[in-house]
Amino acid sequence: MKKTIKAHQEKDAKAKDADEAKPGAVPSYLLDRENVRRTKVLSNMIKQKRKEKAGKWQVPIPKVKAMTEDEMFKILRTGKRKKKAWKRIINKISFVGDTFTRKPPKFERYIRPSGLRMKKAHVTHPELKMTFFLDIVSVKKNPQSQLYTGLGVITKGTIIEVNVSELGLVTQTGKVVWAKYAQVTNNPEMDGCINALLLV
């Protein structure tokens, strides 16, 4: 792992050698060749982009306690098919977008109660040491399971994308940053709110 991270951090680049040619005879096949020296060059921004692509974020909470399915879901028996319990109610806080509409009850497998849906989070900026109440854009990754990521379930350690346009953050090239990732640091279902730490 350390080797791969080191390989990410530095890359060979060639730079022309400013020194003049050393005195002495040079073979004929080397006459046209310019002297070059290898340098380690890689800008900070490219490093950051690579980290984002590789998903190698240094997260505040690297490990979380695994949850059982009984903890996450509650079995719902409805309709005529009482023996076949195929519906699940989600017990945890979840996020759904503005355009979300529920499926008809007959076809709905996972039910996210409207009382447990949240659209905003208290996000702390680690460098500014300030907390902002920001809109959630999406749930990027829930460490528990890919299924919960797709359902938008938010538990401790989940990576969410938040709208940071009102903070006025700017990249090195001068572009305004609209959304950034943050990691949830509390148990939202216990506290009734989402507290997260911005990944800078």
Side-chain angles (χ1 to χ4, degrees):
M1 191 68 185
K2 280 180 183 173
K3 280 182 185 175
T4 51
I5 289 168
K6 202 170 185 185
H8 269 286
Q9 282 173 347
E10 53 193 32
K11 188 167 173 14
D12 283 339
K14 289 180 181 179
K16 285 184 183 178
D17 208 343
D19 303 338
E20 286 179 17
K22 290 175 178 69
V26 179
S28 57
Y29 56 85
L30 287 179
L31 284 173
D32 296 337
R33 204 176 284 181
E34 288 180 340
N35 290 339
V36 291
R37 59 184 156 79
R38 290 186 157 310
T39 55
K40 304 280 183 188
V41 181
L42 199 59
S43 73
N44 198 22
M45 206 169 85
I46 296 169
K47 275 187 198 171
Q48 192 66 26
K49 278 190 178 170
R50 281 201 177 163
K51 269 188 202 168
E52 281 176 34
K53 265 191 184 169
K56 287 191 173 87
W57 290 95
Q58 278 194 321
V59 287
I61 306 168
K63 288 181 183 177
V64 289
K65 184 176 77 70
M67 285 182 182
T68 58
E69 231 172 78
D70 300 338
E71 209 178 334
M72 193 69 83
F73 299 127
K74 181 181 143 202
I75 296 168
L76 183 70
R77 297 177 193 277
T78 61
K80 291 175 183 175
R81 295 180 284 183
K82 290 276 194 242
K83 287 173 189 172
K84 291 181 181 174
W86 57 280
K87 286 194 177 190
R88 299 284 180 272
I89 294 179
I90 296 168
N91 294 327
K92 305 291 176 193
I93 297 290
S94 59
F95 166 78
V96 291
D98 294 326
T99 55
F100 171 74
T101 50
R102 281 180 66 176
K103 285 182 183 175
K106 197 175 181 180
F107 305 115
E108 196 171 33
R109 174 144 166 64
Y110 296 104
I111 299 162
R112 287 166 279 195
S114 54
L116 289 174
R117 290 184 207 160
M118 286 193 180
K119 290 190 176 180
K120 290 200 162 211
H122 301 279
V123 181
T124 305
H125 197 296
E127 287 166 8
L128 297 175
K129 301 278 191 291
M130 288 173 79
T131 304
F132 305 94
F133 195 45
L134 304 175
D135 291 315
I136 298 170
V137 178
S138 66
V139 175
K140 198 71 191 167
K141 185 157 176 55
N142 190 321
Q144 302 290 345
S145 160
Q146 190 62 41
L147 169 69
Y148 306 145
T149 306
L151 289 168
V153 177
I154 298 172
T155 54
K156 188 173 183 174
T158 304
I159 305 290
I160 55 172
E161 199 172 7
V162 288
N163 185 358
V164 291
S165 56
E166 60 192 59
L167 303 191
L169 297 175
V170 180
T171 60
Q172 288 174 331
T173 51
K175 288 180 182 174
V176 177
V177 180
W178 293 105
K180 253 182 147 11
Y181 296 146
Q183 190 180 32
V184 177
T185 54
N186 70 328
N187 291 312
E189 70 279 359
M190 290 180 187
D191 300 345
C193 66
I194 299 168
N195 296 338
L197 195 67
L198 206 66
L199 303 179
V200 183

